[in-house]
Every structure is written in C-alpha cells, then in structure tokens.
Amino acid sequence: MVMSWLKVSDAFKAPVGSPVTIKGWVRTNRDSKADGGLCFVAVSDGTCFDPIQCVVKAAGNNATTNFPDVQKLTTGCAVEVDGTLVASQGKGQSVEVLASAVRILGLVEHPDSYPVSNKRHTFEYLREVAHLRVRTNTFGAVARVRHCLSMAVHRFFHERGFFYVHTPIVTASDCEGAGQMFRVSTLDMMNPPRVAPEDAKPGAPVDPAAPVDFSNDFFGKEAHLTVSGQLNVETYCCALSRVYTFGPTFRAENSNTSRHLAEFWMIEPEIAFANLQVDSELAEDFIKYLTKTVLDERPDDMKFFDERIEPGLLKRLQHVLETPFRRLPYTEAIKILEDAIKKGKKFEYPVKWGTDLQSEHERFLTEEHFKQPVILMNYPKNIKAFYMRLNDPGTDGAPGDTVAAMDVLVPAIGEIIGGSQREERLDVLDRRIEEMRLPAKEYWWYRDLRRYGTVPHAGFGLGFERAMMFLTGMQNIRDVIPFPRAPKQAEF
RNA sequence: UCCCCGAUAGCUCAAUGGUAGAGCGACCGGCUGUUAACCGGUAGGUUCUAGGUUCGAGUCCUAGUCGGGGAGCCA
C-alpha cells in the first residue's frame, strides 16, 4: 500500500524542510491579523497524542487561495493540508506545517451543537457520544494504549512459545459455572416449541407450561455466549503444552459497577506440566511485561494519563516494575486482617477463615498493608470452582481443605487476575463435581483429559479492561473499551 | 439486585414555592505568531417523563426512566 500523505506521528519525525501532506480532523483553530492574516489550525489524525499545527497564510509567498474558508474551520472539520515542515516560531511545538494549500474534506454542519466541541467534557457525557468521543485527547490515548496492549499480549505469549487458540464464542455446554449467561437461540421467543408428553397424540394442543424443546433449536440443544474459554483451552493445553486464548467474554450478570461489563475481553493462558507457583510467576511476568511495553511504546499517551487522569501514575507503574509481587497464602491473609482488626481497623464485613474476602479486605491488603500488587494463594475449597486442584491437608497450616487457586490483587482495582492449578486427578475431580451437584454427564470431554494422559496444568484469566484501568488510571471500565456493553447499555 | 445521590441552554452548573441565570462552546466584531488566549456583543430553554398538591411548581409529593458513587457477583 502506498499512501501519498504522511501520518502526523511521522510528520513530527520528518526533517525540517520536508514537503508534507497531512490529513486529519481539526482540533482547534485560531486566527490572527498579523503578517496580513494567518490561521493556526491544529490537525489530528489520531496517530499520536499531539495534533500538528498548520500555519495558513492569507498573504505573501505562502498565501492560500481559500483563506476565508480556512478561517471558518471549526473543531471536527476534516482537512487535507499540503505544505512544508518548518521549525515553529511560536512556543508549544517544535515543528509545524507551513501550509501551501488546504483542502476542506468535510465540514461540521452545526458547530454550535457539535457534541465534542473544544472544551472540557465529563466522561459520563462522552459515553453518550461514544462514536465521537475517540476524537478527544483522553479517548484517543485510551484507543492507542488499548491497541498497544493487545499487540503486547500476543507478543508476550508468542515469544514464550505459547500458541494462540481461538476458543468458541458460542458454547452449547451449560457447565462453565461462571455466572449468568446470554442465551443464543433461533427459536421463536413468542411461541417456542414445547416438549410434548410421551403419550401425546399427534396434533394435541401444546402445553404452554411444558419445558421449551431445545432439540429444535439451531444447535439442537441450549446454547449460550461463552463466559470463559478456559475449559476449551485446557484441551489444547493438553496437546500443545503452552496455549492462550484472548477473546470476548460475556456475563449476563446485573452488575452496575465501574469494574464490570457484560461484554469484556479476557486473556487466558494455560500451561501443561505446571503448578500454581509457575502459574503465579507467569502472571507476574505478564503484568510487568504489559506495564513495560506501554511505558516504552506510548510515552506520549502515558504522560497525558499521568498529568490529567491519575497524578503519580508513572511513578506507581515504575514501582510495579521494580518490586517483586508479594505472595501470600489466604490463611496468612486472614491472620493479617484479624491482626488489623485487633489494632482497631474497622471492616463492614467480618473476617473469618473459610469465607471469601470482601472488596474492602482485598483493598486493605493491596492498598494499605502491602501497598503493591499481592498474589493470594491457596483458598478454601468451598469458595472456589470445581476444577481447582485440591491441596494436601494442612497446606499453609490451614484449618480446612484448600485448593491451589490464586488471585492477583492490585491497588484501586482489586482482583485483576484469577487463576489456579487444575485438578488433574480424575477421582478427585469426580468427587468435586459430585459434591457441587454439577451435571457430570456434561463434563464428559473435560473428564476425558484426565482419562487419557493426564498431566498437572495451570492457568489464569486476566480481565483485559481491568488491565487497561490499572495501566492508564482510568476509573470507569466503560471508558477503556470502545463501545461498552452493560445493563441497559448497548447503544452504538 | 440493594443503599445513597443526581437530571435546568450544545456542555458544566446556579436559581427562599412567585419574571429562567452564569461560565465554557457557537456566532459577530476587536486585539494578538496564536496555542486552557484575551476584550466587547448576539443567539440559544416543553427545567428527564407521567401524574398529584398549590392562587402559583425548576423548586414540594408519588411512580417511572436514565446517569453517578458504594455493595454483591466477578475478570
């Protein structure tokens, strides 16, 4: 592909004196009567944080023929500018484009009501104009960082010999057990087929109270959008050794928080022949790799986040890079929390071995007590999923059964990674399925992995948007994904 | 889903139950190698929706819708 114009990001790197053509959208336009009339048109094409300033003259050698039209350009107009890259006479930019011609590609038809006019806007408002918010400093930066991180995810795993597995979006097994699911169906919702009693005569009236007959549905059984690629990716792990999946994930939970989406992206690596310790090391390396990459590759955007979104962000991330994550058994964490209570710390919810930690407890550990990312390990069996590997009795001096699970907690966001070593022993797995009253039949292929050459293996899930929040300082998850899907929110 | 708070100009917000206001943005003009520009002026309103109380409701009451913060569920 040959393009005759220059990206703004490249224009900034071109030698002074270069002839350039740039194309983009007007960010700001100021004019002046000096030098017989000139306009300063800042143009952004989204390729980097800064727009480039184009100086357009009404008189002299570089006079443009349509100067009065250029004067009228407002924020959002699309333009194409020919000119020369010159050292800037003004402060605030090192180089600028001295324009020889400005072609107006698209005007803003009602500048008085342009939704992203040149002024401060709240994130709540910008969410209502998600199709235009990416033209702002913040959302442009978010979009570039998001891309940078997506690439880094693949590079991290590729460099370590992991294979990228496309796990299915639609799942016909109702056994993933990670929350409410969205149904996928082609049945007539108003009049679905019903299961007829065995002794029903042909043509008998349908019983509207009878269960829906999904054998007539598209997949011949109930189907849903996936809540996790883990079970599928485990199968590839048990053949390719190191694999990961990175795709959209769906939860139909009625969650109304700044940390939850109905549609989000999740990264799930799975490693064969590995235990929880190896799993946690991978998780730590991964988070540090993402952190380093975004600092190295998007310094312009990260500087903006540090200045305008979360003062101190860069310092915080530097600290993350330099400090080993704190590893801590759940049982130990309970002791720390109990000690804190003895010393006068007040929690809304009680702390008790065997119960799940509340948000406030996790935040205390990562934000107040350790002030750094913390990996909690070996949780009580009863609060974790069936597929997590049962530890030997007495692990960490725990008073009850634990499983080889881990949560990576980070300040401000809380849980960013959840993972575990998987139960590779068929008899133990079967006992767990039975204890939790899960439909054993549905797990036939998952159980097969334990019947045919079972191996220890482990993996985790990283919420991509939560990583975005952690690395940009953005406080609402709906602002780190282009078009957020949440309860009552699916516009665009 | 639960608790708390909110909805007024394009945006951010004011307005004791008694004439609907400012800043920014937009538009017009002035000044200026400008850059969160500055100075002067103009336009811009079914006060979220539906009921109710009242001589009179942006303001009080009820219900709903949407948004925010916190909690739960989790990534």
Side-chain angles (χ1 to χ4, degrees), chain A residues 19 21-22 98 101 142 177 181 191-192 248 292 300 351 364 366 372 384 396 424 481:
Chain A
T21 296
I22 59 142
L98 177 58
V142 165
M181 304 168 91
N191 187 24
K292 182 164 180 357
D300 55 345
V351 172
F364 173 81
T366 185
Q372 65 170 95
K384 289 293 182 183
D396 307 323
E424 85 281 14
I481 188 168

Side-chain angles (χ1 to χ4, degrees), chain A residues 368-380:
Chain A
E368 290 182 52
H369 190 79
F370 291 113
K371 296 189 172 69
Q372 65 170 95
V374 175
I375 307 181
L376 290 185
M377 306 170 92
N378 299 330
Y379 281 76

Side-chain angles (χ1 to χ4, degrees), chain A residues 41 54 93 151 155 237 257-258 267 306 323 375 416 447:
Chain A
V41 187
C54 299
Q93 61 280 317
M151 295 298 107
R155 212 163 52 237
C237 175
T257 82
S258 56
I267 297 138
D306 186 57
T323 317
I375 307 181
I416 196 169
R447 291 178 67 253

Side-chain angles (χ1 to χ4, degrees), chain A residues 246-287:
Chain A
F246 180 12
T249 308
F250 307 87
R251 305 270 166 95
E253 301 287 350
N254 193 7
S255 294
N256 292 289
T257 82
S258 56
R259 306 183 311 283
H260 290 85
L261 289 167
E263 176 184 282
F264 64 100
W265 288 66
M266 189 154 63
I267 297 138
E268 296 171 286
E270 195 75 26
I271 9 172
F273 316 108
N275 59 17
L276 189 64
Q277 181 62 30
V278 171
D279 197 33
S280 77
E281 283 164 14
L282 182 73
E284 177 172 353
D285 287 352
F286 185 43
I287 287 178

Side-chain angles (χ1 to χ4, degrees), chain A residues 215-491:
Chain A
S215 67
N216 283 317
D217 205 346
F218 187 89
F219 295 106
K221 60 201 290 196
E222 281 192 84
H224 299 88
L225 294 180
T226 184
V227 292
S228 164
Q230 183 200 316
L231 268 47
N232 287 289
V233 93
E234 274 189 54
T235 67
Y236 269 59
C237 175
C238 293
L240 303 179
S241 297
R242 300 173 182 206
V243 297
Y244 71 104
T245 179
F246 180 12
T249 308
F250 307 87
R251 305 270 166 95
E253 301 287 350
N254 193 7
S255 294
N256 292 289
T257 82
S258 56
R259 306 183 311 283
H260 290 85
L261 289 167
E263 176 184 282
F264 64 100
W265 288 66
M266 189 154 63
I267 297 138
E268 296 171 286
E270 195 75 26
I271 9 172
F273 316 108
N275 59 17
L276 189 64
Q277 181 62 30
V278 171
D279 197 33
S280 77
E281 283 164 14
L282 182 73
E284 177 172 353
D285 287 352
F286 185 43
I287 287 178
K288 286 183 170 171
Y289 182 90
L290 295 180
T291 306
K292 182 164 180 357
T293 300
V294 79
L295 291 173
D296 287 348
E297 294 186 1
R298 297 268 27 127
D300 55 345
D301 296 319
M302 294 306 287
K303 179 167 167 275
F304 169 79
F305 289 126
D306 186 57
E307 284 169 359
R308 296 296 177 89
I309 302 297
E310 182 194 325
L313 172 72
L314 294 178
K315 207 178 148 199
R316 196 193 87 205
L317 295 181
Q318 204 58 45
H319 180 65
V320 168
L321 281 182
E322 289 162 2
T323 317
F325 287 11
R326 186 62 185 248
R327 280 170 181 71
L328 194 69
Y330 164 94
T331 302
E332 197 77 22
I334 293 293
K335 282 183 194 147
I336 289 172
L337 290 165
E338 285 171 343
D339 282 353
I341 291 169
K342 274 181 206 153
K343 287 177 187 155
K345 177 72 191 174
K346 295 270 182 278
F347 290 117
E348 192 182 340
Y349 291 89
V351 172
K352 185 168 174 265
W353 197 97
T355 61
D356 216 350
L357 296 179
Q358 301 293 317
S359 282
E360 56 174 349
H361 304 142
E362 295 180 346
R363 293 182 70 128
F364 173 81
L365 290 170
T366 185
E367 289 171 15
E368 290 182 52
H369 190 79
F370 291 113
K371 296 189 172 69
Q372 65 170 95
V374 175
I375 307 181
L376 290 185
M377 306 170 92
N378 299 330
Y379 281 76
K381 179 184 78 167
N382 292 339
I383 57 172
K384 289 293 182 183
F386 75 95
Y387 51 75
M388 297 186 177
R389 192 179 194 277
L390 189 64
N391 286 323
D392 293 340
T395 298
D396 307 323
D401 285 339
T402 59
V403 290
M406 67 164 184
D407 281 355
V408 180
L409 311 177
V410 295
I413 289 143
E415 185 180 341
I416 196 169
I417 281 179
S420 68
Q421 185 173 341
R422 320 305 189 189
E423 184 55 76
E424 85 281 14
R425 299 161 295 188
L426 183 63
D427 56 328
V428 183
L429 183 70
D430 280 345
R431 234 178 296 141
R432 290 282 281 149
I433 289 174
E434 197 180 331
E435 274 172 19
M436 296 177 83
R437 295 203 181 110
L438 296 169
K441 261 200 289 188
E442 297 275 334
Y443 294 100
W444 68 272
W445 54 266
Y446 191 72
R447 291 178 67 253
D448 269 5
L449 298 177
R450 279 74 183 166
R451 295 172 64 204
Y452 307 131
T454 191
V455 292
H457 58 290
F460 63 79
L462 170 89
F464 187 62
E465 285 74 19
R466 289 195 181 168
M468 282 286 298
M469 295 169 76
F470 177 65
L471 294 170
T472 61
M474 294 292 289
Q475 293 194 336
N476 194 308
I477 200 165
R478 297 171 194 205
D479 296 329
V480 296
I481 188 168
F483 300 105
R485 269 78 177 103
K488 305 279 156 62
Q489 189 168 23
E491 190 73 50

Side-chain angles (χ1 to χ4, degrees), chain A residues 56-98:
Chain A
V56 185
K57 298 200 170 183
N61 289 341
N62 294 97
T64 51
T65 53
N66 58 344
F67 185 80
D69 294 331
V70 175
Q71 269 186 306
K72 291 197 181 81
L73 287 173
T74 55
T75 303
C77 293
V79 294
E80 185 177 337
V81 180
D82 297 336
T84 309
L85 194 72
V86 297
S88 180
Q89 295 174 36
K91 288 172 188 165
Q93 61 280 317
S94 56
V95 293
E96 62 194 16
V97 173
L98 177 58

